[in-house]
Amino acid sequence: MAGLSSLARVAREVRRDLEAARERDPSALGVGPVEILATWPGVQAVLAHRVAAALHEAGVPLLPRAIAYVARALTGIEIHHAAKVGAGLFIDHGAGVVVGETAIIGDGVTLYQGVTLGGTGFETGKRHPTVQDNVTIGSGAKLLGPIEIGHGAKIGANSVVVRDVPPNSTVVGVPGHPVRIDGRRVEGPDTDWIHLPDPVADAMRALSARVAELERMVTELGGTPPTVEPENVHTLRPVRGRNPAGG
Ligand SMILES: CC(C)(COP(=O)(O)OP(=O)(O)OC[C@H]1O[C@@H](n2cnc3c(N)ncnc32)[C@H](O)[C@@H]1OP(=O)(O)O)[C@@H](O)C(=O)NCCC(=O)NCCS
């Protein structure tokens, strides 16, 4: 009886996954469900995971791991059989996607090729991200550690995200940082990750100014300031770009 209800649940989930492919992949427009099931690696990998996860929950040994292994060989997508995956997961293109053992994925999530939901090292316990509903993760993005990706967030292609992501935000870059929250550009002094303040350069600049001032005073008093070979003098790299406080 429990087996039958698991089967019915998996069938329902697969129907949602097929709908997700048709809704979110423009190239699936007008393509029938059988063709999608037969030729979309992302859909096949999620289907294989649904079966492997149901068997794993039922306590079946070895088979869930074997299914995940075969699915990986066929699709290039590795979803650990113990990962929790919500309804309507769509993996576009697919190859190179890795979803770790303790990852949790909510409903309506989209992953592109090369996405990793991974751990950061050899820690044990919950060590992979939790991705809430309706999140989109761009190709090549790496989400590492037991972080929380808020619902509706968009993660830019090739970002490396190691901190929690607020809901309805757009996060890009390495390390990933929010550039939009609720559709609005993020403002404030901590938002420019490109032009970070450089305290060492600031201190050296202050010291140089002080030395120049002392040399001027020595000259005024009739002394000779020490000469420095010009090739030993390196000008400090000027600060370029926007003011870090500019948001
Ligand atoms: C992150 C992403 C979802 C942003 O979409 P959006 O909400 O429309 O946001 P915008 O395009 O307005 O971008 C917001 C800012 O982030 C920057 N940005 C966008 N994507 C970026 C990325 N991947 N890396 C670095 N910066 C990025 C934009 O230049 C923009 O900067 P600005 O505020 O200085 O103008 C999108 O750019 C992205 O990377 N999507 C992934 C798509 C993908 O993987 N496709 C694979 C198909 S095979």
Side-chain angles (χ1 to χ4, degrees), residues 92-93 111-113 115 136-141 153-159 169-174 177 179-180 183 185-186 242:
D92 203 355
H93 305 291
L111 311 180
Y112 286 96
Q113 71 274 15
V115 166
T136 300
I137 307 180
S139 52
K154 292 191 233 170
I155 310 296
N158 283 336
S159 306
S169 61
T170 300
V171 164
V172 301
V174 181
H177 58 281
V179 288
R180 301 274 190 279
R185 191 183 273 270
V186 180
R242 292 175 297 157

Side-chain angles (χ1 to χ4, degrees), residues 82-220:
K84 304 251 178 306
V85 172
L89 170 65
F90 177 53
I91 302 178
D92 203 355
H93 305 291
V97 168
V98 175
V99 177
E101 181 183 8
T102 62
I104 300 175
I105 299 179
D107 296 341
V109 169
T110 305
L111 311 180
Y112 286 96
Q113 71 274 15
V115 166
T116 299
L117 303 183
T120 52
F122 299 109
E123 63 284 85
T124 50
K126 172 79 171 126
R127 61 194 186 283
H128 301 106
T130 295
V131 177
Q132 293 181 356
D133 299 346
N134 302 321
V135 168
T136 300
I137 307 180
S139 52
K142 312 293 171 215
L143 282 61
L144 305 175
I147 53 176
E148 187 97 9
I149 312 301
H151 61 83
K154 292 191 233 170
I155 310 296
N158 283 336
S159 306
V160 177
V161 182
V162 289
R163 302 225 185 286
D164 289 353
V165 166
N168 299 317
S169 61
T170 300
V171 164
V172 301
V174 181
H177 58 281
V179 288
R180 301 274 190 279
I181 296 181
D182 288 325
R184 289 172 49 204
R185 191 183 273 270
V186 180
E187 302 288 344
D190 292 326
T191 59
D192 187 341
W193 290 54
I194 308 295
H195 309 108
L196 292 172
D198 184 342
V200 176
D202 287 347
M204 291 180 73
R205 209 171 285 115
L207 280 173
S208 297
R210 203 139 172 224
V211 169
E213 176 64 10
L214 287 171
E215 286 177 353
R216 191 188 58 76
M217 286 165 72
V218 169
T219 315
E220 270 178 19

Side-chain angles (χ1 to χ4, degrees), residues 7 47-72 79-82:
L7 205 65
L47 164 65
H49 173 74
R50 304 270 180 223
V51 175
L55 292 171
H56 174 65
E57 266 173 41
V60 176
L62 189 65
L63 199 51
R65 204 178 285 279
I67 291 172
Y69 174 73
V70 171
R72 179 182 185 273
I79 307 177
H80 194 284
H81 54 274

